[in-house]
Amino acid sequence: MNLRPLLTLASVVAVLVATGPAHGAEPTPSADPRLVGPWHTVSIDGDALFFIVHGAEVDFDKDGSFTARIRFTDGETETKKGRYVLHGDHIELSIPSMKAKESLTYEIDGKNLEFHDESFGVKITVARGKAQHASGDDLF
């Protein structure tokens, strides 16, 4: 059994999306300009994905789209594109190519953006900026 698709999906969950059937209309653009731009993972609490994920980055565009990039510990990378919409303190994310859709709570606290997915018990903290190697070079 090839585990790469499962690991990719699990990593996208860690970056911001959980599996599930897509339903409803396509999300509309966000109204919060503080969200726009690149963010990189700082921590993932409640999950062991950092054993397989070296780093991740999500870039929110002002048009309501986002790109999630994942680098696995074996050096392989995955990129997924999707849409997002904000509803109060919730962000709804969808990745049409994976038929995945999820609603998470989010909060911007200073330079950090925190997501909480109660269904998976995962808290994800990302910081403003691009993901980097320990050397300071961009990860993606």
Side-chain angles (χ1 to χ4, degrees):
M1 181 171 137
N2 183 358
L3 293 179
R4 176 62 68 186
L6 179 61
L7 295 177
T8 298
L9 183 57
S11 298
V12 172
V13 168
V15 177
L16 301 176
V17 179
T19 62
H23 34 274
E26 190 74 15
T28 55
S30 167
D32 191 343
R34 300 176 305 154
L35 193 63
V36 175
W39 299 84
H40 65 278
T41 51
V42 173
S43 67
I44 301 174
D45 297 328
D47 205 297
L49 288 173
F50 272 132
F51 287 113
I52 59 170
V53 176
H54 177 67
E57 179 178 293
V58 63
D59 195 348
F60 292 100
D61 290 327
K62 63 183 175 184
D63 68 357
S65 65
F66 72 90
T67 302
R69 297 172 188 85
I70 305 103
R71 180 173 299 277
F72 297 95
T73 55
D74 68 1
E76 299 263 341
T77 61
E78 290 282 338
T79 300
K80 297 294 179 189
K81 294 181 179 275
R83 306 279 307 158
Y84 72 96
V85 64
L86 303 177
H87 302 282
D89 66 347
H90 283 77
I91 184 168
E92 183 178 290
L93 302 153
S94 64
I95 298 179
S97 68
M98 297 176 73
K99 296 184 180 170
K101 188 174 186 178
E102 182 66 20
S103 179
L104 312 165
T105 60
Y106 83 100
E107 178 182 359
I108 298 174
D109 183 17
K111 295 180 183 179
N112 289 333
L113 172 58
E114 190 173 284
F115 297 95
H116 188 255
D117 183 342
E118 291 184 25
S119 63
F120 283 89
V122 175
K123 183 174 92 174
I124 304 157
T125 303
V126 294
R128 175 77 61 197
K130 297 191 120 335
Q132 296 183 328
H133 289 284
S135 66
D137 294 330
D138 286 346
L139 197 57
F140 300 99

